[in-house]
Amino acid sequence: MSFTHLDAAGRARMVDVTLKQPTVRTATARGFVRCAPEVVAALRNGTAPKGDVLAVARIAGIQAAKSTPALLPLAHVIGVHRASVDLAVTDEGVEIEATVGTADRTGVEMEALTSVTVAALAIVDMVKGLDKGTLIENVRIVSKTGGKSGHWLRPGEPGVGPSATAPGEVPATEGERA
């Protein structure tokens, strides 16, 4: 078995993508921050003691997408050409969805995951005074487009599919879904 991130001596290395052609790529990740009812109420009422929790989380997530190579040692430095973080307060906490796009030589799955995770961390930081039991759950990639493997959609994921494409994106055809 060959490992792409190991050299012949078994040492970690960054994969060489120099000769790959840039292509348009996107990735969408989701996660959830489970909060106590009093935190949910503060988020809905805009009364969290540290300020606008959702605005801080959104900016933190966008910044995180652009900072991924500084956090993950084998991640490539790529141009993050698009990053959006959507947050929805539910009765149980905050749903987070981040979509990252590029026109580069490698994908943006790690950027999308980092975006969701750091947005979740920002929420925890902003509400920890209200609820020390706040919990980050179920961070995962739900879709990706572009690159050698093409389109991928997580089976059974709600709101993911041909009707759930990002602005300016063309829905995958049946043959492109995998």
Side-chain angles (χ1 to χ4, degrees):
M1 176 182 272
S2 173
F3 295 100
T4 59
H5 284 74
L6 299 177
D7 67 14
R11 294 179 301 248
R13 68 175 174 102
M14 181 184 273
V15 172
D16 184 358
V17 295
T18 309
L19 298 178
K20 289 176 75 176
Q21 291 301 308
T23 62
V24 174
R25 302 160 184 265
T26 65
T28 298
R30 290 183 179 153
F32 188 73
V33 179
R34 188 165 302 281
C35 304
E38 58 269 20
V39 173
V40 171
L43 293 172
R44 287 182 169 151
N45 300 330
T47 58
K50 288 189 174 184
D52 190 340
V53 174
L54 301 181
V56 170
R58 185 174 293 108
I59 296 300
I62 292 168
Q63 180 178 334
K66 300 186 300 181
S67 301
T68 299
L71 301 169
L72 300 175
L74 299 181
H76 290 89
V77 175
I78 61 171
V80 172
H81 300 118
R82 170 177 153 220
S84 63
V85 177
D86 295 312
L87 305 152
V89 179
T90 71
D91 290 343
E92 291 81 35
V94 182
E95 294 177 357
I96 305 168
E97 180 177 284
T99 299
V100 180
T102 189
D104 219 314
R105 292 176 170 85
T106 188
V108 286
E109 293 90 342
M110 293 300 100
E111 286 75 5
L113 287 167
T114 302
S115 180
V116 167
T117 303
V118 172
L121 288 169
I123 293 168
V124 171
D125 181 50
M126 296 285 288
V127 304
K128 66 186 177 200
L130 297 172
D131 178 19
K132 295 193 184 346
T134 301
L135 181 66
I136 299 170
E137 299 179 342
N138 202 18
V139 175
R140 74 253 183 228
I141 292 291
V142 297
S143 67
K144 68 154 295 289
T145 65
K148 187 167 85 173
S149 62
H151 294 321
W152 178 83
L153 305 170
R154 180 172 296 280
E157 187 73 28
V160 173
S163 63
T165 55
E169 212 173 70
V170 177
T173 64
E174 196 62 42
E176 292 174 309
R177 288 186 213 114

